[in-house]
Amino acid sequence: MKKKIQLTLNGKKTILEAPAHRLLLDLLRDEIGLTGTKEGCGTGDCGACTVFLNGKPVNSCLILSGELDGAELVTIEGLKIGPELHPIQKAFIQDGGAQCGYCTPGMLMMAKALLDENPNPTEEEIRFALSGNLCRCTGYAKIIQAVQDAAKEIRQAARR
Amino acid sequence: MAELTVVGKPVTRLDAHEKVTGEAIYGYDLVLPNMLYGKVLFSPKPHARIVRIDTEKAKRFPGVCAVITGEDAPWTHGESIKDKPFLAQGKVRYIGEPVAAVAAADEDTAQAALKLIEVEYEDLPAYLDPEEACKPGAIPIHEDFASYRKMEFIVARPGMPNVCEHFKLRTGDVGKGFRESELILEERYSVPIIQHAAMEPHSSHAQVDPKTGRVTIWVANDAPFRALHEMSEALGLPKEKIRFINPLQGGGFGSKGGLKVEPIAVALAYHTDGRPVRLKFNREETFISTLTRHETVLYIKSGVKKDGSICARQMTIFWGTGAYAEKSPTVCIRSSLPAPGPYRIAHVKVDGYAVYTNKPVAGSFRGYGIPQGAWACEQHMDELASRLGMDPLEFRLKNVFVEGDTSYWGEKLHAVGLKETMMKAAQAIEWGKKDQGSGVDPFGTLRANPEHSRGIERSKGLRTGKGLACIQKPTRTPTTSQAGVRVNSKGEMTVLAGTVEIGQGCNTILAQMAAEELKVPIDKVRMHPLDTDVIPFDASTTSSRSTYHMGNAVRRAAIDVREKIALMAAPMLEAKKEDLAFSEGKVCLKDQPEIFLTIGEVIRRKMGPDAVLRGDGSYTYEIGKDLDLETGHSEHASAFYMYATQAAEVLVDEETGRVRILRMSAAHDVGKAINPLNCVAQIEGGLAMGIGSALHEHLVLDNQGKVRNPSFLDYHLATSLDLPEMIPIIVECTEPEGPYGAKGLGEPGLAPTPAAIGNAVANALRVRIHDLPLTPERVFWAIQKGKTKPA
Ligand code: FES
Ligand code: FES
């Protein structure tokens, strides 16, 4: 039974039809074709599928399409600021925060959520904020460094 | 050697941009036009005969296109033993074995149809313990083992029907060695099943062209040419009729070589009238039905003299391979061989058994058995040291392999950076400083944020300890890599290499090597996507072999192109070829660099604006021979060896048994760091995996052989909160045959980790734990036991 859903996706008004039980993750990946959001577990345990729903980071594998009417969604494809990469994306490139890259989109979204709230996090705070995002490749050291570097960059840009 | 411009530099990854923007397309992301959705029915029985399968109802379900069982796919595969059916044939051998599959218009339909398949089983006795399954007279899990197609060196052993490989190493006379010893110690160690748990689950897409019979498979497989070979042997189709296309891979760690989901996708695709099939395993299915690391039981007996020299060592190792052989025979061989450790020992005897059980299949896992061997051998070394009253570092230094030593398998060793790794790893955690932990506040920043105290509350009974462990790792030998390099008239390079970018950064370092030979800027180099129709042959992206083997091949291909450009440019510059030099994308006169042509200009003038210049390179490590089957000896068992030492400082809470690592150093001999940033990334990632396997990773099976924790909620991977300060150290002991002196690095990162931590825990508690993982519960009970019976 398909349902009409109206939402704002990465800044654009979008109208979709999808069964109410379709998971947001599958809606994005299979029906809209935005595969930047990754599936690592499908059960809310890995964070690879993190997107912003109404300004808050959520595991898109736990959200049903039926809940989405009127929602505002931002995915990894909408993280750029205009044509420019977001400072977190730049820092991940610079510091080697991505290896296989599969956890990266979720990691970036979660890191953005942290920096939106806390522009000057300690290492411990970063570790805590990212503890629900699993990475099997990096050992997290480079990811944490990238978040610190991005935070510094954002603070400096605000002062400029 | 001329000065290096890009090799040895911390170049940022070529693939980073597409990965941070979400543009990168992985196997799991792929959508093909008109595709069908596959789903698999798994065995609920560990060992049973299939009495009846009824698929009629499922076939009639609206939206279903195909329902197949083993009868529809009469094929078997396997790297060294063709023992694994595409879908169960006649019997099932583990809980999670694929029994039937459905292709339907969407996933919901496929899922619903599965429920309509009826299967009747007749239970058979199941073996869950490799030692039990190994006993003479055991009931065979594979009744037809003798008639399977298999590699020559594998033979049926009538008395031990579940042993699919028995490796023997015989050096000197261990009986004599033990008689000459002044102290003898015998212990048993064990390592549980763990899983690769790459963040991208397994999947495969397949399509069969009904007109030509050509099979196309899209899969993130780390050895596409081996997969091609295996698929061609299984289907009885010539290789030209099969094509593997590799989208990006979200991690593999050994789980995505060989054939996993591919055979089922292909079997379905034979029944869909040309429509492609997508078969994705979800996380649970990936846990129960793809691949695991061998559970291993290791017995080790050593005889030493009071001065600390090792007289003899004997090991018996059981590698639990699960229901199918997969890569177990070669895991058994290549890791039983160096299991006695990188030490000078005159009398050595090793028996390694790869044993079938009724459990999920075990196979290659980053480190290829070396971590299990090190867990036993390196803890055993500390136990010996403590009985000898020697410092563990001193005891090792007295015995370790050094340059020019002949190993106990008869190979003269070169480029042995082991001692240097040992000294540096030890130094980095202030080895020998008695007042352990001083200068390191055990809680560091935690005290400032008590709510983030990572589970350890300040309490009495905190103990600190230090420990180290080392390894020597061989690589798969002999093997071949081939590569191509193309240069266009804009001076841009494309590298064709069959090495798979699985996250390890091969694309970046191979591009660096190509750029180096032609002296073009790195941003002018691109890696060609991987497709077996186009890309030259490569053995596999395994065994830490790529930097060395593919590096050599790419280098040769680039040199081939460079020579051709020099030949073309010489008359244009009115100079002899020998008088030309390359720099910054140009070819110039050696003594007058201001006289030059860009590489692109040379190609354009000679070949026209749209032409492409090609070069080829191939590398085979020729000397490697098979081991002698009776003695395990070989003069060239490996193209090169990787050496590493890691050292840990831990804090153990005696009241809870919880182990926290305070800091951990990892010194790795890489020969030459082609990209130091990448090397550090590999070491850190390896350490994280090693720490996970030391402290909490364990795939738990119940007494029926059913996986109890097939989710990330219950299977505990290291999170950002679990990891300590990591101190990666690069040691460069040049390998003369390697490109720019490089060896390999992918696997060793996790190999000595658990043993180093185990040694540190024993140092802290004066209690030895022989089984992994070091969970709070296990540590707590060991402490209690130690209180009543001091070690
Ligand atoms: S896929 Fe959503 S949390 Fe793992
Ligand atoms: S980079 Fe591979 S899982 Fe994080």
Side-chain angles (χ1 to χ4, degrees):
Chain A
M1 193 49 178
K2 294 211 172 180
K3 187 178 169 232
K4 201 156 139 197
I5 307 162
Q6 214 166 353
L7 45 77
T8 312
L9 176 58
N10 295 330
K12 284 206 192 82
K13 289 243 176 310
T14 311
I15 300 174
L16 297 166
E17 283 204 1
H21 74 278
R22 179 76 68 243
L23 296 171
L24 171 53
L25 176 64
D26 295 335
L27 185 72
L28 288 169
R29 288 170 54 83
D30 282 351
E31 308 209 5
I32 304 177
L34 290 180
T35 56
T37 304
K38 299 301 179 210
E39 177 173 354
C41 67
T43 48
D45 301 318
C46 77
C49 64
T50 307
V51 300
F52 278 82
L53 173 61
N54 300 326
K56 290 262 176 289
V58 296
N59 287 330
S60 62
C61 68
L62 298 180
I63 308 278
L64 296 173
S65 299
E67 308 168 39
L68 291 174
D69 204 30
E72 195 182 320
L73 275 174
V74 181
T75 67
I76 183 68
E77 289 87 351
L79 184 59
K80 280 193 199 169
I81 305 168
E84 275 271 305
L85 292 184
H86 189 282
I88 300 179
Q89 290 172 306
K90 288 186 194 165
F92 263 62
I93 295 177
Q94 191 51 44
D95 296 334
Q99 287 188 22
C100 83
Y102 201 77
C103 70
T104 308
M107 221 36 113
L108 288 165
M109 299 311 266
M110 207 57 188
K112 179 185 185 307
L114 168 68
L115 296 185
D116 283 353
E117 269 195 13
N118 178 355
N120 194 4
T122 63
E123 182 193 326
E124 242 355 76
E125 285 167 340
I126 299 172
R127 285 188 183 273
F128 195 71
L130 298 181
S131 61
N133 289 68
L134 297 176
C135 173
R136 191 56 155 165
C137 300
T138 63
Y140 307 99
K142 298 278 173 283
I143 291 173
I144 287 156
Q145 191 191 332
V147 177
Q148 283 169 325
D149 289 350
K152 209 194 283 164
E153 172 60 31
I154 293 169
R155 289 198 306 275
Q156 275 166 3
R159 252 181 264 133
R160 280 198 284 268
Chain B
M1 196 187 289
E3 209 185 304
L4 297 173
T5 54
V6 55
V7 159
K9 305 284 187 291
V11 174
T12 53
R13 296 178 63 110
L14 261 48
D15 55 4
H17 189 277
E18 58 168 345
K19 285 177 174 174
V20 303
T21 53
E23 287 155 22
I25 300 291
Y26 296 79
Y28 220 65
D29 299 334
L30 208 61
V31 174
L32 297 171
N34 204 23
M35 72 182 185
L36 293 162
Y37 295 75
K39 268 277 165 201
V40 171
L41 183 72
F42 299 95
S43 162
K45 301 281 186 181
H47 197 191
R49 221 167 286 293
I50 299 174
V51 180
R52 181 182 71 92
I53 305 190
D54 188 344
T55 58
E56 282 316 308
K57 278 189 210 135
K59 279 182 176 153
R60 286 199 302 269
F61 193 72
V64 168
C65 176
V67 183
I68 60 167
T69 68
E71 280 189 11
D72 306 296
W75 305 300
T76 56
H77 68 95
E79 189 199 33
S80 42
I81 304 173
K82 312 257 169 263
D83 60 356
K84 192 162 192 264
F86 281 32
L87 291 165
Q89 285 172 10
K91 71 185 267 194
V92 289
R93 296 182 174 88
Y94 72 100
I95 296 180
E97 176 160 7
V99 171
V102 175
D106 58 58
E107 224 151 296
D108 292 347
T109 307
Q111 185 68 52
L114 279 188
K115 299 216 169 81
L116 302 175
I117 301 174
E118 292 166 19
V119 191
E120 206 181 298
Y121 296 97
E122 181 191 311
D123 288 325
L124 295 167
Y127 285 103
L128 300 177
D129 175 354
E131 285 183 87
E132 278 297 314
C134 198
K135 288 202 173 127
I139 299 166
I141 293 169
H142 290 266
E143 299 85 344
D144 301 328
F145 185 83
S147 63
Y148 288 158
R149 281 179 297 156
K150 43 192 168 314
M151 284 180 176
E152 287 155 29
F153 67 88
I154 294 168
V155 291
R157 288 173 182 76
M160 294 169 131
N162 293 319
V163 172
C164 63
E165 169 61 14
H166 175 193
F167 167 80
K168 286 181 273 186
L169 181 77
R170 303 286 183 263
T171 299
D173 174 355
V174 280
K176 180 164 173 273
F178 287 127
R179 283 194 298 279
E180 285 166 7
S181 303
E182 292 167 329
L183 189 142
I184 290 177
L185 181 66
E186 203 172 347
E187 290 293 353
R188 176 189 191 270
Y189 298 83
S190 78
V191 180
I193 303 177
I194 65 168
Q195 204 188 39
H196 313 69
M199 290 312 297
E200 181 197 18
H202 287 243
S203 69
S204 174
H205 297 58
Q207 185 170 27
V208 179
D209 184 329
K211 281 202 285 297
T212 62
R214 200 154 198 258
V215 180
T216 306
I217 299 147
W218 294 259
V219 62
N221 187 303
D222 60 31
F225 288 94
R226 179 161 59 194
L228 176 67
H229 178 86
E230 263 192 55
M231 192 59 86
S232 139
E233 283 199 327
L235 299 176
L237 268 188
K239 289 205 180 92
E240 298 66 38
K241 290 258 186 198
I242 304 171
R243 175 184 184 190
F244 275 81
I245 299 173
N246 258 57
L248 258 180
Q249 185 176 130
F253 315 108
S255 68
K256 290 175 182 165
L259 301 175
K260 304 287 163 351
V261 184
E262 299 88 334
I264 312 171
V266 167
L268 279 170
Y270 270 106
H271 294 86
T272 59
D273 241 342
R275 286 179 75 176
V277 177
R278 170 170 102 178
L279 178 57
K280 301 205 297 188
F281 275 11
N282 62 27
R283 181 54 59 187
E284 180 177 348
E285 293 164 346
T286 297
F287 266 118
I288 65 164
S289 189
T290 59
L291 198 69
T292 65
R293 189 175 84 174
H294 296 84
E295 64 179 319
T296 315
V297 179
L298 309 100
Y299 293 89
I300 176 166
K301 177 178 173 186
S302 297
V304 292
K305 288 238 195 277
K306 291 220 175 85
D307 68 357
S309 47
I310 307 172
C311 305
R313 179 161 287 166
Q314 180 171 357
M315 291 183 81
T316 306
I317 311 173
F318 298 94
W319 304 93
T321 81
Y324 296 98
E326 232 273 339
K327 300 215 180 70
S328 296
T330 49
V331 170
C332 175
I333 293 167
R334 279 195 234 125
S335 49
S336 298
L337 172 81
Y343 304 106
R344 290 188 297 262
I345 314 173
H347 306 286
V348 182
K349 183 176 178 199
V350 180
D351 288 278
Y353 299 95
V355 192
Y356 286 127
T357 60
N358 294 110
K359 284 176 157 177
V361 183
S364 64
F365 187 115
R366 192 181 199 176
Y368 223 68
I370 299 295
Q372 292 100 309
W375 168 248
C377 173
E378 285 300 292
Q379 287 216 97
H380 189 68
M381 286 298 284
D382 267 39
E383 291 185 75
L384 286 166
S386 109
R387 282 167 177 78
L388 288 166
M390 285 176 85
D391 177 86
L393 175 61
E394 183 196 339
F395 177 49
R396 283 183 177 77
L397 288 174
K398 188 175 165 63
N399 291 290
V400 285
F401 288 150
V402 294
E403 195 70 27
D405 273 351
T406 299
S407 69
Y408 44 79
W409 58 90
E411 179 167 358
K412 192 162 161 34
L413 300 171
H414 67 273
V416 185
L418 183 54
K419 244 185 190 172
E420 193 181 339
T421 66
M422 209 169 265
M423 299 308 292
K424 289 193 165 154
Q427 210 173 27
I429 65 154
E430 298 170 277
W431 187 263
K433 209 165 162 195
K434 274 284 163 281
D435 185 16
Q436 285 163 341
S438 78
V440 182
D441 175 351
F443 288 96
T445 54
L446 300 182
R447 218 168 4 187
N449 289 299
E451 75 275 19
H452 300 166
S453 68
R454 304 198 203 174
I456 292 192
E457 304 305 330
R458 191 168 261 296
S459 64
K460 274 189 255 145
L462 293 176
R463 297 193 172 276
T464 58
K466 291 181 187 177
L468 55 75
C470 64
I471 56 111
Q472 173 190 26
K473 165 122 204 357
T475 188
R476 190 179 163 208
T477 303
T479 60
T480 296
S481 289
Q482 301 187 300
V485 166
R486 296 175 188 165
V487 188
N488 67 16
S489 68
K490 285 189 255 167
E492 295 161 340
M493 286 174 93
T494 302
V495 179
L496 288 79
T499 301
V500 182
E501 179 54 75
I502 54 181
Q504 84 284 42
C506 65
N507 278 0
T508 307
I509 63 152
L510 293 173
Q512 279 177 266
M513 292 193 241
E516 186 67 58
E517 290 305 330
L518 245 68
K519 305 290 179 206
V520 303
I522 185 78
D523 59 4
K524 288 250 153 78
V525 188
R526 186 180 81 94
M527 299 301 293
H528 195 288
L530 225 161
D531 175 340
T532 55
D533 267 9
V534 185
I535 297 286
F537 172 80
D538 176 51
S540 59
T541 306
T542 61
S543 208
S544 312
R545 61 178 290 283
S546 301
T547 304
Y548 178 99
H549 291 86
M550 188 54 83
N552 272 328
V554 165
R555 218 182 150 191
R556 287 178 181 184
I559 291 171
D560 186 29
V561 160
R562 188 180 72 202
E563 291 295 306
K564 288 177 182 164
I565 293 172
L567 264 180
M568 298 192 301
M572 296 177 198
L573 291 166
E574 296 176 0
K576 286 212 275 308
K577 186 176 142 259
E578 300 73 50
D579 297 332
L580 299 178
F582 285 75
S583 147
E584 293 172 18
K586 299 173 205 131
V587 49
C588 60
L589 301 189
K590 257 185 205 150
D591 341 327
Q592 282 172 283
E594 65 282 5
I595 301 185
F596 69 85
L597 284 169
T598 64
I599 290 175
E601 180 69 21
V602 174
I603 293 171
R604 188 167 59 241
R605 279 206 210 168
K606 178 82 182 179
M607 305 169 67
D610 298 320
V612 170
L613 182 67
R614 292 158 172 260
D616 295 300
S618 183
Y619 182 83
T620 306
Y621 184 84
E622 282 114 356
I623 343 172
K625 278 198 225 79
D626 285 344
L627 306 170
D628 180 284
L629 290 182
E630 288 310 309
T631 64
H633 285 211
S634 166
E635 283 171 24
H636 294 285
S638 177
F640 59 89
Y641 288 92
M642 294 161 273
Y643 298 95
T645 305
Q646 298 184 348
E649 182 174 24
V650 301
L651 176 79
V652 188
D653 184 335
E654 283 194 311
E655 280 175 20
T656 61
R658 192 177 281 269
V659 176
R660 210 194 123 201
I661 300 159
L662 299 172
R663 53 180 170 169
M664 182 132 200
S665 64
H668 288 256
D669 173 14
V670 303
K672 162 80 185 168
I674 304 296
N675 183 333
L677 192 64
N678 224 22
C679 289
V680 166
Q682 280 299 301
I683 296 173
E684 287 174 348
L687 263 179
M689 206 177 243
I691 289 170
S693 68
L695 299 186
H696 34 70
E697 281 188 45
H698 178 187
L699 198 69
V700 182
L701 271 60
D702 68 12
N703 60 8
Q704 295 299 301
K706 184 174 162 62
V707 177
R708 301 308 317 202
N709 56 346
S711 75
F712 285 143
L713 190 63
D714 298 315
Y715 184 93
H716 184 167
L717 297 185
T719 72
S720 51
L721 288 174
D722 295 318
L723 296 172
E725 180 196 351
M726 302 193 264
I727 312 165
I729 301 163
I730 296 171
V731 169
E732 294 183 320
C733 184
T734 307
E735 166 59 49
E737 270 275 302
Y740 313 95
K743 300 177 181 170
L745 177 63
E747 298 164 292
L750 82 171
T753 320
I757 294 168
N759 284 336
V761 169
N763 178 242
L765 299 175
R766 312 284 158 207
V767 173
R768 179 65 57 176
I769 300 169
H770 293 105
D771 309 303
L772 278 174
L774 302 172
T775 55
E777 193 184 359
R778 177 166 280 147
V779 174
F780 176 82
W781 286 114
I783 294 168
Q784 301 311 312
K785 219 171 126 198
K787 276 181 184 156
T788 52
K789 184 171 67 84

